[in-house]
Amino acid sequence: MRTETVRFHSEGLALSGRLHVPDGDGAHPVVVQGCGWMEACCSDVSEPFHRGLVAGGYAVLQFDNRGWGDSEGERSRIEPYDQVTDLVNAVRYVTTRSDLDPGRVGIFGLGGTGAGNAVYAAAECPEVRCIVLQNVVATGVEWFRRMRREYEWLEFKERVATNRVRAACGGEDELVDPTEDLMVGTPARRAAGMPTYGRQFALSSAESLMAFRPIDAVARVSPKALLIACIEDDPVTPIGHALTMYEAAGPPKCLVRQSGVSTYEAYTVNYDRLMRSFLDWYGRYLG
């Protein structure tokens, strides 16, 4: 395997990524992954899947969204629709390389916004032929609401609305820890050692995240092949999101249901099963 640091541009911003290419000559099929919720490029979560894909004969590009890692852009906001644009431009970038096959491009989306972004990009990119998602979000507002008890949800909405008015009157955007104040620091997240980021991110990011609706784009993915992997009784990304997305999607499509594991356990405990399913799906539709 050859690994290369790459740079490409999205709306005038230089983005940094890492490309893994299998050994051998010729133009390889390629899978593109944008980072998901609070993930950096080639994290401990994504990298094992990248290596599994490379072993199966696929090149893999993952990159840092604008504002992350070595990529340019504002570092205190989370704007999923901007991240979709970055992912679309990553797909365009791989089609320009002679060592990658522009006719065999897939997308991999992992977790929350990472999987949701992949749905939008697949719907918009004619170059994409095949999509694999793990733990997708259907609507941001329902994702945020399901994390909270009713009184917490009402308090959160009021906090976001107050912040909006304050910013409109020339005040400062409240800075929050996105893993505790946008997401909720559930026992599962804390037990998994999910990193905290400190009070670095604008609370107004919550408005963009709650307006995020991959469910509106999933029907436009067909006839591209869509696989959705999900987890029963998952408090982090409830399975209802995946089931709603699967029902709204057109063929060809596949649903992989997991049980008896948490979100974070699934990446390791079910790794072999997931990797077999992913390679089979890409193999069918990317060749």
Side-chain angles (χ1 to χ4, degrees):
M1 179 179 74
R2 170 174 57 85
T3 299
E4 176 185 347
T5 298
V6 301
R7 300 279 278 181
F8 62 94
H9 288 80
S10 181
E11 295 186 325
L13 298 171
L15 305 186
S16 178
R18 190 178 302 169
L19 177 67
H20 297 317
V21 182
D23 294 330
D25 299 327
H28 300 278
V30 57
V31 175
V32 181
Q33 182 190 1
C35 289
W37 174 260
M38 309 308 294
E39 185 193 6
C41 180
C42 296
S43 71
D44 291 342
V45 173
S46 289
E47 185 67 9
F49 291 101
H50 298 169
R51 293 185 177 277
L53 288 167
V54 171
Y58 301 92
V60 180
L61 170 67
Q62 190 179 33
F63 63 94
D64 279 314
N65 292 310
R66 63 184 71 186
W68 286 85
D70 293 328
S71 294
E72 296 178 346
E74 186 180 355
R75 298 189 177 271
S76 64
R77 302 191 64 80
I78 306 166
E79 298 282 354
Y81 290 112
D82 287 345
Q83 294 176 357
V84 171
T85 300
D86 294 344
L87 182 52
V88 169
N89 284 311
V91 170
R92 292 170 178 163
Y93 165 73
V94 299
T95 65
T96 68
R97 294 184 58 110
S98 61
D99 55 349
L100 306 177
D101 187 342
R104 292 189 290 168
V105 179
I107 289 182
F108 180 45
L110 184 62
T113 54
N117 293 344
V119 172
Y120 272 104
E124 294 180 17
C125 292
E127 300 89 348
V128 172
R129 291 177 52 187
C130 183
I131 308 96
V132 169
L133 310 176
Q134 166 87 336
N135 300 337
V136 67
V137 165
T139 67
V141 68
E142 184 64 16
W143 191 36
F144 272 44
R145 182 170 188 163
R146 287 284 299 273
M147 297 177 198
R148 295 165 169 87
R149 291 168 285 190
E150 187 63 20
Y151 76 89
E152 293 173 324
W153 170 240
L154 296 175
E155 290 174 350
F156 180 74
K157 287 200 302 178
E158 179 63 26
R159 184 179 177 187
V160 171
T162 299
N163 183 70
R164 181 191 311 124
V165 172
R166 180 173 58 248
C169 294
E172 293 187 359
D173 204 331
E174 182 182 351
L175 296 180
V176 299
D177 184 333
T179 57
E180 294 286 334
D181 296 306
L182 298 182
M183 302 280 276
V184 173
T186 63
R189 290 192 181 95
R190 289 170 176 157
M194 183 174 182
T196 58
Y197 283 82
R199 303 181 70 79
Q200 300 179 31
F201 286 81
L203 178 59
S204 59
S205 297
E207 297 186 65
S208 298
L209 287 160
M210 288 192 290
F212 191 48
R213 292 181 55 85
I215 187 64
D216 294 340
V218 71
R220 294 189 285 114
V221 170
S222 180
K224 300 164 187 175
L226 174 65
L227 181 148
I228 301 176
C230 55
I231 301 170
E232 295 177 357
D233 301 321
D234 181 6
V236 177
T237 312
I239 193 172
H241 288 276
L243 299 181
T244 299
M245 295 285 280
Y246 182 77
E247 183 174 348
K253 59 184 179 179
C254 177
L255 185 70
V256 176
R257 297 177 71 135
Q258 305 163 77
S259 61
V261 291
S262 71
T263 293
Y264 306 108
E265 291 173 338
Y267 298 138
T268 54
V269 174
N270 286 350
Y271 173 81
D272 290 338
R273 175 192 173 193
L274 291 170
M275 201 70 252
R276 285 195 300 270
S277 296
F278 297 167
L279 286 171
D280 176 70
W281 196 250
Y282 285 127
R284 284 196 223 174
Y285 296 102
L286 291 187

